[in-house]
């Protein structure tokens, strides 16, 4: 990924910001919109990157069946972006573009077009990246998407069995 | 608490017992929630300022956290006409996820990040109650050595440990400090207590200002039961009964200054849902008290262009009690989110200035911290019920500074001292030992290059070469950025909290501490707020 240090610093701030500022989703049924409904803030290409990161980080399985790919995290992210100040929205979109094209150098293809295992290898690689700003930005983005995933109506009731006050009880 | 270095074992134990205060003594009465906690105070929101307006009061207080709330109570008790302005919402918007909390109740929506030796998010709360809305209400007093150091530094015996204890008693009584009750402590705290006992360390269930706690484990979302003695349920309602008026959803953006004298503040309404700016509110006041917190106060001063006027220390000396965390997996069920959020602590004789206590965070944050993502996501989900955690913070030697970006956001820098990094690493090893003695097995630290470990010594070896840039950091105790000093060459405010550089300006929040406390700062902030409020009122 060819990002300058200045950009990286800005990105981690933005990613951290969004990780914390996902409140825009509350009260909105982001998971319950038609697949072809227009996005408010995301371009289609950016939405595909969000879906790829969700799929890479949160695969479905025996504990919780819902796959991150199917958790409508692009909708979650879209609503969230809309609530952010313009600078942070721009930086986050820049991060998505960096991920999309960074994968070309690392995995030989755009992130959104890679097979899931390669998407995962790329995302996990960034989560363990030697540059702390890259790790931080990726962690911020994943924590944020994790909020979307864990509050999805198929997941929230399961989370509620562990986290009484936090997820619907 | 590096000042605790070199004490005899008995003196060391005594010094730690003093940080708990009388609530640690046998027979101390359990705080009565019904007597202490009161309904949140009435506050006007944006709709009360539909068009540009100007008002005149005797004192305006900026910020409704522990510092502003306690100062306002002291001022109202003295019969002054006080208006408190708060940027955050007029009421609490506690919901069921952190995202919601961040939007309504974190300053800059939780986006403040310090740069410097490493990227470190810095958290501060927002709303009537300030950070006490989202804190865990751990309620320690600073050790004798810290306060006595302040007294000698400022040549002011009224700042000594003994002199300040009546004030600590008073504020502890208002927020209802008591030792975490065993029936609501929960296994996340209990296993730490077992570990402490097994290893013969000093510590146990911690003092918290949560008289009505039902142990739901989500203090960081805001207390859904209303059992926490946060400022909105304690100081502010008491002050409104004495005449305090509160205008929330109003952000102070500047001070009215005429010839070196502060005459009031300039504010703008902020829609709590959209953040949209609305009408302006000009408050003319005889005295102005800034209590916007250790980030918010210098951020406001620098944004208003007044930093230099208040002297060379404005926004300097940012300290934050940095630290790190261990998330561990047990063989038995812990249910991290059942029981008091952070209710246990310990001290280690070889680690002066290190205060480890219980860790808890939303599940997704715990899983990211422990690295359970991708192929390990499902495994992590299955382990959630068996997860426990502990964090540690250090009384920092490192420091940073606060300025303001052009758009008013905080521009933060923090640089670690090598000594602090070393103590964090050594502290993590002791935390690992305690967790394992209490029943934990697998130890995960959010530090790049450190694998899961089952052996504290192996953890020590892995930590050895790590630099601070390998750590995933987080800090929630900003302080010291407008510190007290004997002269403008030493600090921003005098011993009473009065600014050196401008007339009629006072500061009453965590920014006035002359050094890092070494214990969680809410009680000390309330003590300073009360002290400043009384000093101002005494001037007549
Ligand atoms: C997540 C978290 C956990 C914590 N846990 C503990 C704990 O367990 N125990 C403990 O002792 N301490 C804890 N703390 C720290 C403690 O809460 C703070 O030290 C204390 O609240 C500081 O009080 P303050 O009045 O200085 O500032 P704050 O509490 O930050 O209050 C400042 C207020 O000013 C308002 N404000 C800021 N700028 C403006 C402006 N321009 N105009 C109008 N209003 C403004 C803010 O919205 C805020 O409400 C924790 C803090 C956090 C964030
Ligand atoms: S643990 Fe729950 S009930 Fe107790 S103070 Fe925290 S949020 Fe309130």
């Amino acid at each position: 990924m060819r990002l300058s240090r200045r950009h990286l610093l800005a990105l981690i701030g933005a990613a951290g910001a969004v990780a914390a500022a996902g409140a825009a989703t509350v009260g909105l049924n982001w998971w319950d919109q038609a697949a072809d409904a227009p996005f408010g803030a995301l371009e289609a290409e950016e939405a595909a990157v969000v879906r790829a990161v969700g799929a890479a980080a949160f695969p479905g399985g025996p504990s919780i069946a819902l796959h991150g790919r199917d958790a409508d995290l692009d909708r979650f992210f879209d609503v969230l972006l809309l609530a952010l100040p313009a600078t942070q929205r721009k930086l986050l979109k820049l991060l998505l573009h960096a991920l999309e094209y960074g994968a070309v150098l690392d995995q030989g293809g755009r992130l959104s077009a890679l097979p899931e295992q390669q998407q995962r290898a790329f995302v996990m690689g960034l989560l363990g990246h030697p540059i702390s700003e890259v790790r931080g930005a990726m962690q911020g983005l994943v924590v944020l998407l994790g909020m979307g995933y864990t509050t999805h109506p198929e997941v929230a009731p399961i989370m509620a069995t562990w986290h009484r006050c936090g997820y619907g009880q | 608490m590096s000042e605790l270095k070199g004490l005899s074992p008995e003196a060391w134990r005594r010094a730690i017992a003093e940080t708990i205060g009388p609530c640690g003594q046998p027979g101390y009465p359990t705080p009565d929630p019904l007597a202490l906690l009161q309904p949140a105070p009435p506050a006007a929101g944006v709709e009360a300022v539909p068009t540009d307006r100007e008002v005149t009061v005797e004192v305006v207080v900026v910020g409704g956290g522990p510092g502003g709330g306690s100062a306002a109570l002291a001022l109202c008790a003295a019969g002054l006409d006080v208006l408190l302005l708060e940027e955050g919402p007029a009421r609490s918007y506690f919901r069921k996820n952190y995202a919601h909390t961040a939007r309504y109740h974190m300053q800059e929506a939780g986006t403040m990040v310090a740069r410097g030796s490493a990227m470190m998010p810095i958290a501060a709360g927002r709303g009537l109650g300030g950070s006490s809305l989202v804190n865990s209400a751990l309620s320690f007093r600073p050790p004798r050595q810290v306060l006595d150091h302040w007294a000698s530094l400022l040549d002011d015996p009224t700042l000594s440990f003994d002199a300040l204890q009546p004030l600590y008693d008073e504020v502890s009584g208002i927020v209802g400090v008591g030792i975490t009750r065993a029936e609501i402590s929960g296994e996340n705290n209990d296993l730490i207590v077992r570990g402490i006992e097994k290893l013969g360390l000093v510590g146990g269930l911690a003092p918290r200002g949560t008289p009505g706690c039902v142990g739901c484990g989500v203090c960081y979302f805001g207390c859904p039961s209303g059992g926490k003695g946060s400022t909105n349920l304690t100081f502010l309602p008491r002050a409104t009964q004495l005449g305090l008026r509160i205008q929330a959803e109003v952000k102070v953006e500047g001070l009215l200054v005429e010839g070196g004298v502060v005459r009031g503040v300039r504010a703008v309404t902020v829609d709590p849902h959209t953040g949209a700016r609305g009408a302006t509110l000009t408050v003319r006041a005889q005295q102005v008290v800034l209590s916007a917190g250790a980030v918010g106060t210098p951020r406001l001063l620098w944004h208003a262009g007044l930093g230099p006027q208040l002297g060379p220390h404005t926004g300097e000396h940012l300290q934050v009690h940095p630290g790190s965390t261990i998330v561990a997996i047990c063989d038995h069920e812990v249910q991290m989110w059942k029981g008091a959020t952070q209710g246990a602590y310990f001290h280690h004789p070889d680690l002066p200035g290190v205060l480890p206590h219980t860790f808890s965070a939303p599940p997704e944050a715990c899983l990211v911290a422990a690295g359970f993502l991708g192929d390990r996501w499902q495994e992590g989900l299955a382990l959630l019920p068996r997860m426990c955690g502990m964090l540690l913070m250090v009384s920092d030697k490192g420091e940073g500074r606060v300025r303001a970006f052009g758009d008013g956001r905080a521009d933060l820098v923090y640089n670690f001292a090598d000594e602090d990094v070393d103590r964090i690493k050594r502290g993590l090893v002791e935390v690992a030992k305690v967790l394992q003695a209490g029943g934990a097995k697998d130890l995960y630290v959010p530090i790049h290059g450190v694998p899961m470990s089952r052996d504290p010594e192996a953890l020590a070896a892995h930590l050895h070469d790590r630099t601070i840039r390998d750590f995933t950091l987080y800090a929630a105790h900003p302080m010291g950025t407008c510190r007290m000093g004997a002269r403008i060459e030493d600090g921003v405010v005098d011993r009473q909290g009065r600014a050196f550089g401008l007339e009629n300006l006072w500061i009453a929040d965590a920014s006035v501490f002359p050094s890092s406390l070494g214990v969680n700062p809410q009680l000390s902030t309330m003590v300073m707020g009360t002290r400043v409020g009384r000093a101002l009122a005494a001037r007549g």
Side-chain angles (χ1 to χ4, degrees):
Chain A
M1 280 165 69
R2 294 176 69 81
L3 281 174
S4 72
R5 190 176 163 78
R6 197 171 60 81
H7 276 123
L8 284 169
L9 296 185
L11 286 173
I12 185 183
V18 176
T25 59
V26 176
L28 291 178
N29 293 347
W30 47 267
W31 57 82
D32 193 21
Q33 296 178 43
D36 56 356
F39 289 106
L42 284 175
E43 303 298 328
E45 185 189 56
E46 296 159 348
V49 178
V50 174
R51 284 195 299 274
V53 175
F58 317 120
S63 299
I64 295 182
L66 183 71
H67 196 295
R69 182 188 50 227
D70 307 321
D72 301 316
L73 296 176
D74 49 353
R75 297 286 165 190
F76 168 83
F77 201 71
D78 185 53
V79 179
L80 185 145
L81 280 184
L82 283 175
L84 284 180
T87 318
Q88 283 152 335
R89 190 184 314 156
K90 222 183 282 173
L91 282 167
L92 258 156
K93 290 173 96 167
L94 182 61
L95 175 62
L96 296 179
H97 287 271
L99 293 176
E100 177 74 335
Y101 293 100
V104 176
L105 300 178
D106 195 70
Q107 298 283 328
R110 289 163 58 163
L111 179 61
S112 59
L114 290 174
E116 194 172 299
Q117 271 313 320
Q118 265 180 280
Q119 288 175 335
R120 188 158 301 138
F122 178 66
V123 168
M124 296 308 290
L126 293 186
L127 285 164
H129 200 278
I131 298 176
S132 66
E133 285 81 0
V134 175
R135 278 198 315 275
M138 203 60 214
Q139 282 176 3
L141 183 63
V142 169
V143 169
L144 166 70
L145 295 180
M147 288 177 196
Y149 181 85
T150 52
T151 49
H152 188 282
E154 280 181 42
V155 178
I158 306 168
M159 300 307 284
T161 59
W162 300 312
H163 196 293
R164 284 183 299 171
C165 290
Y167 292 89
Q169 291 189 353
Chain B
M1 277 197 278
S2 45
E3 291 77 5
L4 296 190
K5 225 190 275 191
L7 297 180
S8 70
E10 303 78 60
W12 182 71
R13 278 177 186 267
R14 211 170 37 246
I16 289 166
E18 284 178 340
T19 68
I20 310 298
C23 75
Q25 306 295 326
Y28 187 82
T30 308
D32 175 1
L34 294 178
L36 291 170
L37 302 175
Q38 302 180 19
V46 280
E47 70 283 356
V49 194
T51 51
D52 298 352
R53 256 178 53 190
E54 182 166 321
V55 296
T56 301
V57 294
E58 282 179 315
V59 185
V60 62
V61 176
V62 179
S70 52
L73 177 57
L75 290 162
C76 291
L80 290 164
D81 169 32
V82 185
L83 173 67
L84 184 143
L85 303 179
E86 165 57 49
E87 177 193 343
R91 68 175 190 81
S92 300
Y93 288 90
F94 300 153
R95 290 291 186 281
K96 294 164 182 170
N97 61 58
Y98 186 71
H100 200 96
T101 305
R103 177 181 187 180
Y104 288 104
H105 291 302
M106 299 307 289
Q107 290 183 40
E108 299 187 19
T111 67
M112 300 191 302
V113 180
R115 60 187 196 286
S117 32
M119 304 301 283
M120 178 164 58
I122 295 189
R126 172 177 180 262
L128 294 175
S131 301
S132 75
L133 289 174
V134 293
N135 75 13
S136 293
L138 282 160
S139 296
F140 293 101
R141 302 172 184 214
R144 173 180 292 275
Q145 288 73 5
V146 169
L147 295 179
D148 286 352
H149 169 64
W150 292 6
S152 83
L153 200 69
L154 286 123
D155 195 17
D156 182 355
T158 68
L159 282 168
S160 72
F161 180 87
D162 288 331
L164 283 178
Q165 289 316 294
L167 263 184
Y168 276 95
D169 291 344
E170 190 180 326
V171 301
S172 299
I174 291 175
V175 297
V177 176
I179 298 292
T180 302
R181 301 191 316 278
E183 66 272 22
I184 52 102
S185 61
E187 176 62 3
N188 199 31
N189 295 307
D190 290 347
L191 81 83
I192 292 169
V193 174
R194 285 200 304 276
I196 294 166
E197 284 168 359
K198 232 180 195 169
L199 299 180
L201 293 167
V202 174
L205 290 175
R208 293 159 70 241
T210 56
C213 178
V214 296
C216 74
V218 295
C219 291
Y220 42 77
F221 289 159
C223 181
S225 73
K228 179 163 52 170
S230 44
T231 300
N232 57 325
L233 306 186
T234 51
F235 286 95
L236 290 176
R238 279 178 168 74
T240 48
Q241 283 154 21
L242 297 172
L244 174 70
R245 284 171 295 147
I246 301 176
Q247 174 68 55
E249 298 162 10
V250 151
K251 180 177 184 179
V252 174
E253 294 192 323
L255 272 58
L256 309 175
V257 182
E258 293 162 12
V261 181
V262 177
R263 304 282 185 201
V265 300
R266 197 170 29 79
V268 61
T269 60
V270 180
D271 185 287
H273 307 292
T274 63
R277 293 153 57 88
T280 62
L281 174 66
T282 304
V283 180
R284 297 207 162 266
Q286 291 163 23
Q287 304 287 336
V288 173
V289 179
L290 297 184
S291 300
V295 172
T297 291
R299 175 181 59 195
L300 168 59
L301 289 169
W302 277 101
H303 186 55
L306 296 170
Q309 208 161 334
L310 285 159
H313 297 280
T314 317
E316 296 296 314
H317 315 296
L318 171 68
Q319 296 193 299
V320 297
H321 289 155
S324 190
T325 305
I326 295 185
V327 172
I329 308 298
C330 303
D331 285 341
H332 66 287
E333 280 219 351
V334 175
Q335 298 287 0
M336 184 188 268
W337 302 280
K338 289 181 183 162
T341 311
Q342 294 185 288
Y345 76 102
F346 76 87
H347 288 271
H348 192 283
D350 298 335
L351 288 170
V354 178
L355 180 53
H357 43 270
T358 318
F359 168 77
S360 177
E364 63 275 9
C366 290
L367 292 175
V368 173
F372 285 109
L373 289 164
D375 291 335
R376 302 198 65 193
W377 173 244
Q378 290 290 327
E379 178 195 351
L381 288 170
L383 290 173
L384 279 176
R386 295 195 275 129
M387 202 171 262
C388 64
M390 195 155 195
L391 64 78
L392 65 84
M393 59 179 220
V394 296
S395 175
D396 32 351
K397 301 287 180 214
E399 55 176 51
R401 57 113 178 115
V402 180
R403 296 285 186 275
F405 289 121
D407 61 3
R409 286 178 303 123
D411 173 5
L412 303 168
V413 171
Y414 184 87
N415 288 306
F416 275 81
D418 291 345
E419 180 192 330
D420 296 344
V421 181
D422 179 58
R423 282 185 299 153
I424 293 173
K425 289 180 181 177
R426 290 193 292 131
L428 283 172
V429 176
E430 301 309 322
V431 164
K433 289 178 188 166
V434 166
L435 287 172
Q436 287 205 327
K441 293 278 184 310
D442 302 348
L443 308 164
Y444 293 87
V445 291
I447 301 173
H448 179 64
V450 179
M452 187 280 283
S453 155
R454 292 204 174 89
D455 171 13
E457 295 312 324
L459 175 64
H462 286 302
L463 288 171
H464 185 260
D465 293 332
R466 298 294 103 192
T467 73
I468 198 63
R469 294 180 62 76
D470 294 319
F471 285 61
T472 299
L473 297 160
Y474 172 83
H477 296 171
M479 57 194 155
T481 49
C482 292
R483 72 184 189 189
M484 283 188 280
R487 310 162 304 154
I488 195 165
E489 288 77 17
D490 308 321
V492 177
V493 294
D494 69 10
R495 304 164 176 100
Q496 311 287 333
R498 185 174 35 191
F500 289 115
L502 284 169
E503 282 277 302
N504 299 348
L505 181 66
W506 302 70
I507 298 180
D509 58 27
S511 65
V512 302
F513 301 156
S515 70
S516 186
L517 280 182
V519 294
N520 313 58
Q522 76 158 12
L523 279 191
S524 300
T525 309
M526 294 161 187
V527 162
M528 286 301 156
T530 306
R531 206 179 125 94
V532 173
R534 286 187 183 156
L536 196 169
R539 294 182 74 228

